[in-house]
Amino acid sequence: MRYLGIIFIISFLFSCKKDKEDNSYHPTPYALPQISNFRIAELNPDNPLTEEGVRLGHQLFFEKRLSKDFTLSCASCHLPENGFSDPKQFSEGVGGTLGRRQSMSLYNLAWGKQFFWDGRAKNLEEQALFPVPDTTEMHLTWQEAEQRLNAHIGYKKMFKDAFGTDNITKELVARALAQYVKTIVSYNSPFDKYIRKEGNLSAAALRGYKLFNTEAADCFHCHSTPELFIHPSQVFSNNGLDVVDNPEGFKDKGHGEHTGNPQNNGQFKIPSLRNLTMTAPYMHDGRFKTLDEVIDFYNNGPNLSPSLDPIMITEANRRLLQDGRWGLGLSEQDKADLKAYLISLSDSTVLKNPLYQAPKEM
Ligand code: HEC
Ligand code: HEC
C-alpha cells in the first residue's frame, strides 16, 4: 500500500509537469467597455470572458449547423438589425414551427439576471443550453450538435484556443455562446450621451423623461436601471395586460410556470427598454406593434388580475380617486413626449459594430 501511495504521488507530480510543458492554453482576457453611466457588470466567475471564447461564441451564434436541417442559427430569431430580437410576433423554428412567445432583445444582458420571459434559466450559460434541443426552435439533439462540431477541424482548433480542450461538449458550446452574448453591449443612445454630458436631448424627449421618472407616467418604478431600464431588484412583474379572474386563468402562466407558485402566474420578466425602435413588436406575446399602442395601454390603465403588480394598482387607483378616470390621464402631447423619450433610448451605433454582424462562415 505504501509503495502504491508513492507511485501515485510520483505519477501525479509527473503529470503536472507534463501538463505545464505541453500546455499551449493561454487565452487573452476580454474586457467589457468601461461605461461611466453603467454599474460594473457582475460576471459569472466560472466563465471568464476571453478574446478566444468571445470569437468562438460569435461564430457559434451565427452557426446553422446547430439546427436540425441547417437552416437556423441563434441569429435567425435574434437578428442584429432588429436589436437582436425578431420582427415576427412569434419566431419560426425548424420546419416553420411557431413558438409561443416573442423573441427577446439581447443587449446588455451581462447586467441581467434570470433569463427568458418566465425566468427558467438562472444565468446565460444555462440559457444557452435551451434553444438547440427545443423542438420549436433549433430541434437538434445535443449529441448530434456535438458530433457535428467535433467533426469540424476549424471548430476543434477554436475550442482548444478558447477552453484548452478540443473535446467539444454542449457545456463548452454554451459557455462560448454566453461569453458572446455578454459582449452585446449598447451604451451610446442619445439618452446615454445626455446623461454623460456628451450631447443634448430634444425638448420633447426631456419632457418625456420627466413624465417617465415621476408619478405622472410612473414608469420608473419598474424601468429604472441605467443598463436595461428594469427594476433594480424585482425581476418579474404583472403589468396588467389581461383581465383574468383566477390564478389558473392566464393563457401563459409566465413566471408561475417556472416556479409552480400560482402567485407568480401572469408575471413576466421586466424587459429592457433599450433599442425599442429596432425591437417591435412588444410584450411577451408581441401583442403591440408600435410604441403608440404600448403607451395607450399604460395610459388606459392596467387590467385586473390576481397577480397584478401593486405598483400598477396604486398609481391607477390614485388617479381613479382623484378624477374618476382609470389610467394615467396623459394628454396627446404627454404621450408624444413619452414616446420621444423612449425613442431616445435607442442606439444606432450598434448597427455598425462588426462584432454584431455575421462572421465569415466556417
Ligand atoms: C426559433 C427562434 C429562436 C432561436 C433559434 C433562438 N432563440 Fe433565443 N429566444 C427566442 C425566444 C422566443 C425567446 C423567449 C422565449 C421564452 O421566454 O420562453 C428567446 C430568449 C432568449 C434569451 C433570453 C433573454 C432574456 O433577456 O432573458 C437569450 C439570452 C437567447 N434567447 C439567446 C439565444 C441563443 C444563444 C440562441 C442560439 C443557441 C438562441 N437564443 C436561439 C427565440 C429564439
Ligand atoms: C409594475 C411594473 C411596470 C411599470 C410601472 C411599467 N412597466 Fe413596462 N413592462 C413591465 C413588464 C412586466 C413588461 C412585460 C410584460 C409582458 O410582456 O407580459 C413591460 C413591458 C414594457 C414594454 C415592452 C418592451 C418589449 O420589448 O416588449 C415597454 C415599451 C414598456 N414596458 C414601457 C413602459 C412605460 C413607458 C411605462 C410607463 C408608462 C411602463 N412600462 C411602466 C413592467 C412595468
Side-chain angles (χ1 to χ4, degrees):
M1 273 316 274
R2 229 168 71 203
Y3 288 115
L4 208 60
I6 290 170
I7 290 170
F8 267 134
I9 290 170
I10 291 175
S11 60
F12 175 72
L13 288 176
F14 204 74
S15 71
C16 289
K17 189 159 175 278
K18 199 167 137 235
D19 267 1
K20 256 197 195 130
E21 280 168 1
D22 288 2
N23 207 340
S24 55
Y25 176 51
H26 297 295
T28 319
Y30 180 103
L32 289 177
Q34 300 258 337
I35 308 157
S36 62
N37 57 319
F38 281 26
R39 294 164 298 180
I40 305 276
E42 288 169 35
L43 297 175
N44 180 353
D46 295 336
N47 187 22
L49 299 187
T50 63
E51 298 277 351
E52 293 79 359
V54 170
R55 196 175 310 132
L56 171 59
H58 184 197
Q59 198 72 40
L60 290 168
F61 191 86
F62 289 85
E63 179 53 79
K64 293 184 175 160
R65 286 183 181 87
L66 290 178
S67 66
K68 187 175 185 178
D69 60 359
F70 299 85
T71 56
L72 292 181
S73 70
C74 309
S76 307
C77 305
H78 300 282
L79 288 80
E81 62 272 32
N82 293 100
F84 284 95
S85 80
D86 193 338
K88 298 200 187 88
Q89 182 175 15
F90 301 113
S91 307
E92 281 174 30
V94 163
T97 327
L98 283 191
R100 59 187 179 133
R101 294 187 182 138
Q102 228 272 301
S103 171
M104 304 171 87
S105 154
L106 303 184
Y107 285 109
N108 300 356
L109 293 187
W111 287 265
K113 41 183 173 212
Q114 287 188 269
F115 299 92
F116 289 121
W117 283 108
D118 53 14
R120 66 188 182 277
K122 70 171 180 303
N123 56 36
L124 288 167
E125 286 74 15
E126 215 175 276
Q127 187 286 324
L129 290 169
F130 282 89
V132 172
D134 189 323
T135 53
T136 65
E137 297 193 351
M138 300 160 102
H139 200 2
L140 183 72
T141 64
W142 268 115
Q143 201 189 359
E144 239 176 298
E146 287 170 349
Q147 276 167 9
R148 286 185 191 176
L149 294 175
N150 273 306
H152 192 293
I153 295 167
Y155 272 119
K156 282 271 197 209
K157 174 157 189 345
M158 287 185 89
F159 275 86
K160 178 105 182 139
D161 292 345
F163 298 114
T165 170
D166 64 2
N167 178 23
I168 303 174
T169 60
K170 64 179 186 202
E171 285 79 18
L172 292 184
V173 174
R175 282 170 65 180
L177 283 167
Q179 286 194 35
Y180 174 63
V181 169
K182 287 174 213 181
T183 67
I184 304 177
V185 183
S186 171
Y187 56 99
N188 279 319
S189 69
F191 181 67
D192 291 306
K193 291 186 177 159
Y194 168 75
I195 290 292
R196 295 197 299 259
K197 301 191 166 42
E198 294 163 11
N200 292 321
L201 279 189
S202 69
L206 282 172
R207 287 194 302 267
Y209 176 32
K210 200 160 165 209
L211 292 168
F212 186 97
N213 251 340
T214 60
E215 310 238 309
D218 206 18
C219 313
F220 71 107
H221 274 121
C222 296
H223 295 286
S224 64
T225 63
E227 304 85 14
L228 289 159
F229 297 92
I230 54 175
H231 193 285
S233 54
Q234 179 191 328
V235 182
F236 303 93
S237 167
N238 170 354
N239 64 347
L241 289 173
D242 295 306
V243 183
V244 175
D245 61 5
N246 74 82
E248 299 308 314
F250 291 95
K251 188 171 165 219
D252 183 339
K253 294 193 175 61
H255 190 41
E257 190 179 282
H258 166 63
T259 64
N261 180 350
Q263 289 182 352
N264 299 132
N265 287 358
Q267 295 181 334
F268 289 87
K269 182 169 169 175
I270 302 175
S272 166
L273 300 187
R274 285 194 172 267
N275 299 330
L276 289 170
T277 56
M278 309 170 206
T279 63
Y282 307 106
M283 305 296 167
H284 71 272
D285 54 5
R287 67 176 64 190
F288 298 134
K289 290 188 197 66
T290 63
L291 289 175
D292 296 306
E293 288 176 40
V294 172
I295 291 169
D296 280 338
F297 155 73
Y298 280 111
N299 192 38
N300 291 338
N303 296 299
L304 290 179
S305 61
S307 59
L308 177 60
D309 196 315
I311 297 170
M312 300 291 300
I313 301 178
T314 311
E315 174 57 22
N317 275 350
R318 198 173 65 80
R319 292 186 182 272
L320 181 69
L321 287 174
Q322 271 176 5
D323 53 21
R325 268 184 308 164
W326 188 249
L328 300 170
L330 299 176
S331 68
E332 288 307 311
Q333 181 67 54
D334 291 340
K335 290 200 280 178
D337 292 344
L338 192 53
K339 184 174 160 187
Y341 173 65
L342 292 179
I343 290 173
S344 82
L345 308 181
S346 288
D347 168 11
S348 57
T349 66
V350 287
L351 296 171
K352 291 175 217 120
N353 190 331
L355 187 60
Y356 308 147
Q357 324 252 314
K360 259 222 310 276
E361 272 182 45
M362 300 219 315

